[in-house]
């Protein structure tokens, strides 16, 4: 699966990343003082992921 990171409603990843990278990005923003309600990770289901499920 691939993930993207959002901060205050703005996507901050330029491309989809793995979960470990998404977690690192999220923690960087939390360390900078962003609130947990303003920073989150979304799982992105791509066409490739859908094909693998079939």
């Amino acid at each position: 699966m691939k993930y993207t990171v959002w901060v205050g409603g703005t996507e901050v990843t330029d491309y989809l990343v793995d979960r470990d990278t998404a977690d690192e990005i999220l923690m960087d923003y939390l360390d900078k003082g962003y609130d947990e309600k303003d920073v989150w990770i979304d799982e992105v289901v791509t066409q490739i992921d859908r094909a693998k499920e079939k």
Side-chain angles (χ1 to χ4, degrees):
M1 290 295 189
K2 295 294 183 178
Y3 301 86
T4 187
V5 181
W6 294 82
V7 177
T10 301
E11 189 174 16
V12 296
T13 49
D14 293 331
Y15 49 89
L16 300 177
V17 297
D18 61 28
R19 183 60 194 227
D20 290 338
T21 303
D23 286 335
E24 288 176 18
I25 294 168
L26 178 124
M27 292 307 297
D28 285 344
Y29 278 96
L30 293 177
D31 288 345
K32 292 177 183 177
Y34 285 84
D35 191 277
E36 291 178 359
K37 294 179 273 183
D38 294 329
V39 182
W40 67 92
I41 296 173
D42 272 342
E43 181 179 61
V44 178
V45 179
T46 65
Q47 289 179 341
I48 293 170
D49 294 329
R50 285 191 195 113
K52 287 179 183 178
E53 291 175 355
K54 291 183 180 181

